[in-house]
Amino acid sequence: MFKKILVLIFAFLLVLNVTIFASGCDKEKPERIAVDNIYSDTGYVDYAKEAFYDIEKYPELASHGLFWTKWNDETQAIERVRASTQEGAALVDPSKPTVIFVHGMMAGSYGLNSQENFYLSSIVTRPAEFGLDSGRVSLIKLWMDEGWNVAVYIWNAFSAEGLNFGAVEAKIWSVDGSQKVSHRNPSNELVYGASEYSIAENFAADYIRAMRLLPSTMGDNEIRVTGHSMGGVLSTTSVFLINELARNGQLPIKQAPDRLALLDPGFGVKIVIEGKTLLSSETDFTINWSKKPLYNKGTSETMIELVKDMTASGIVIEYYAYKSSWAMVSIPPEILTELNTYSTFVFLDPDYGSYNSRFNYANQAHTMIHMWYLTSIAFPPVKDITDGEQDGVYALSASTPTDYMKNNFVGVRFNMAQGEKTLPSSDDLFVRVE
């Protein structure tokens, strides 16, 4: 009888333990804020161990991926060190905030011939405006001088598709788009097989590998990602995925990015006139990390779902454009409206013709949005003069504190009221648009 009682007690405790364990698992399972399309139902591979570019077969890709940067006083130039190495990790000071720059498409040439080096365009360079005697203005060093760790994500050979933006978008999300995960080699040939994972997955893999080499205090300070043009698509998808992987245990959640700056970004394309779709992103591909199709067969609609998830997790998003931007015009109006409900919009007017007779607003304003934001870190936060100029009342620029942004700006739109003729943000004023 005593043995029966012991067996019953043991069985009861076993059932209770299983119930508690199952309940605990339910609590640990991350909540899904957005549509199921963007989440995996079967878990995620360990990207840090699995996702790489095959640089043995394609040595040109050794210059691609995530790199920490440093300034060489002797050469007066920036140097890059792969972020997934101990040498790269040694460049990082976790007590500082961190920013990652993500460039846009590199047109039709092989990437190494036109790789982004993040210098201020020579057309608008006046070194004295940044306290320099002469020479080029390094956008990376501007952030370093303001106390930031700076990394860059280089992916130019994958984006060298001329005007075939749809193929590039598909590579960011998938491995089964029209051009798979192809890149251009030094002979300008389109080659296949560099990776079994999408570009966003490779970005996330590099990011996690880098974080695993850093002290546990990494993430105590802000981590920001900036994406220009098509880099806006890559940074949006990658920041979402990094955050999702953090929730699933692949890195500490505090090491996921805190702030995302979209600089005249791509955000999916769907131009409909009189009920007819005249221009669209590719839509018939699989999101590689979830193994599911795009939501509503649209990249724009799916990116909004990524934004919903990120902002619910506390990531703040800022969007910069100019009123006649071709990138903005390509985004469905209803998507822009919804994006503004989750982020802050800043409309600039980069009219820098006085700098150089070669400046052409129609051709170069898109790039100038990128330049304005990255240089604005060197100046105090811009002012909001909606109710007159007041101390401590700011609009949004790179130097506006993230906490101030969180507390004041979601759903807000700013128009430039002054300062459109000069690049430095020090004389710029903004008003809110209702």
Side-chain angles (χ1 to χ4, degrees):
M1 183 68 179
F2 183 70
K3 287 184 178 179
K4 283 186 177 180
I5 293 172
L6 284 178
V7 169
L8 288 171
I9 291 172
F10 178 79
F12 172 77
L13 291 174
L14 183 61
V15 171
L16 180 64
N17 193 46
V18 169
T19 303
I20 292 171
F21 177 78
S23 175
C25 287
D26 286 342
K27 287 182 179 178
E28 290 298 319
K29 185 178 179 180
E31 183 182 358
R32 294 188 170 185
I33 302 298
V35 296
D36 278 346
N37 304 60
I38 66 175
Y39 306 103
S40 172
D41 292 332
T42 57
Y44 298 90
V45 300
D46 186 339
Y47 283 104
K49 293 182 179 178
E50 299 293 335
F52 294 88
Y53 293 134
D54 187 349
I55 61 176
E56 185 173 326
K57 186 175 181 180
Y58 303 106
E60 62 268 20
L61 296 180
S63 63
H64 288 57
L66 187 65
F67 295 83
W68 295 114
T69 60
K70 64 179 179 179
W71 178 254
N72 186 319
D73 280 323
E74 186 175 333
T75 62
Q76 292 290 290
I78 290 291
E79 296 179 0
R80 301 172 182 169
V81 181
R82 185 163 290 282
S84 58
T85 64
Q86 291 290 350
E87 183 186 0
L91 299 177
V92 180
D93 181 350
S95 69
K96 295 179 177 181
T98 298
V99 66
I100 301 172
F101 296 166
V102 183
H103 65 77
M105 284 179 65
M106 301 304 289
S109 63
Y110 169 62
L112 290 185
N113 295 334
S114 57
Q115 200 167 72
E116 177 64 70
N117 289 311
F118 297 98
Y119 282 98
L120 182 60
S121 169
S122 60
I123 293 175
V124 294
T125 294
R126 290 179 181 172
E129 291 184 328
F130 301 93
L132 304 173
D133 294 331
S134 61
R136 301 179 73 184
V137 176
S138 167
L139 301 171
I140 293 173
K141 190 169 188 299
L142 287 182
W143 285 71
M144 287 181 173
D145 289 347
E146 294 301 319
W148 291 70
N149 302 304
V150 183
V152 295
Y153 191 79
I154 303 299
W155 61 295
N156 43 283
F158 295 93
S159 67
E161 291 281 1
L163 296 178
N164 190 359
F165 63 86
V168 178
E169 268 190 298
K171 293 180 196 181
I172 290 170
W173 294 85
S174 74
V175 298
D176 61 356
S178 65
Q179 299 292 7
K180 314 302 183 193
V181 192
S182 58
H183 72 279
R184 293 195 181 274
N185 66 15
S187 299
N188 207 32
E189 300 165 328
L190 201 61
V191 293
Y192 299 81
S195 179
E196 297 177 0
Y197 296 92
S198 68
I199 300 172
E201 290 173 296
N202 275 284
F203 188 129
D206 257 359
Y207 186 98
I208 296 169
R209 283 191 287 268
M211 292 297 159
R212 288 181 179 177
L213 291 174
L214 298 172
S216 61
T217 53
M218 186 63 182
D220 288 349
N221 286 278
E222 176 184 342
I223 301 174
R224 191 182 309 189
V225 178
T226 75
H228 174 238
S229 196
M230 188 62 76
V233 178
L234 178 54
S235 58
T236 301
T237 51
S238 299
V239 170
F240 161 79
L241 183 56
I242 290 164
N243 194 55
E244 171 70 352
L245 295 174
R247 288 185 300 225
N248 281 268
Q250 294 201 23
L251 76 163
I253 192 68
K254 72 174 184 178
Q255 291 182 353
D258 304 289
R259 179 169 168 176
L260 172 62
L262 301 176
L263 310 177
D264 208 22
F267 207 80
V269 173
K270 190 175 182 181
I271 297 178
V272 179
I273 297 178
E274 295 181 355
K276 295 183 178 180
T277 300
L278 300 185
L279 185 65
S280 174
S281 305
E282 289 188 16
T283 58
D284 293 323
F285 58 76
T286 305
I287 302 171
N288 201 48
W289 61 82
S290 70
K291 308 306 181 198
K292 298 174 185 176
L294 292 169
Y295 172 58
N296 202 28
K297 296 201 78 173
T299 50
S300 296
E301 291 91 335
T302 310
M303 288 184 73
I304 281 292
E305 296 302 313
L306 304 183
V307 167
K308 287 179 184 177
D309 180 279
M310 288 188 285
T311 54
S313 297
I315 298 169
V316 290
I317 299 177
E318 52 195 319
Y319 170 96
Y320 296 80
Y322 59 105
K323 291 294 179 66
S324 57
S325 163
W326 57 264
M328 186 176 70
V329 169
S330 73
I331 303 170
E334 64 274 15
I335 295 294
L336 275 174
T337 299
E338 191 167 4
L339 177 59
N340 193 196
T341 66
Y342 296 103
S343 65
T344 308
F345 277 21
V346 180
F347 292 110
L348 304 169
D349 187 18
D351 187 9
Y352 304 144
S354 62
Y355 281 74
N356 195 304
S357 60
R358 291 184 293 134
F359 179 81
N360 182 290
Y361 189 99
N363 294 335
Q364 290 153 350
H366 176 62
T367 301
M368 291 303 119
I369 299 297
H370 189 211
M371 301 294 176
W372 182 91
Y373 182 84
L374 294 186
T375 58
S376 71
I377 194 66
F379 303 98
V382 295
K383 290 189 174 183
D384 173 3
I385 60 164
T386 306
D387 299 316
E389 192 166 339
Q390 304 173 54
D391 290 338
V393 179
Y394 304 125
L396 189 55
S397 64
S399 57
T400 305
T402 297
D403 284 344
Y404 187 93
M405 179 183 173
K406 284 182 178 180
N407 295 331
N408 294 279
F409 289 158
V410 175
V412 172
R413 287 185 294 159
F414 286 105
N415 275 347
M416 179 173 260
Q418 177 183 301
E420 70 276 5
K421 300 293 185 182
T422 58
L423 178 66
S425 61
S426 52
D427 63 350
D428 293 349
L429 300 174
F430 290 83
V431 293
R432 294 187 181 221
V433 181
E434 298 300 328

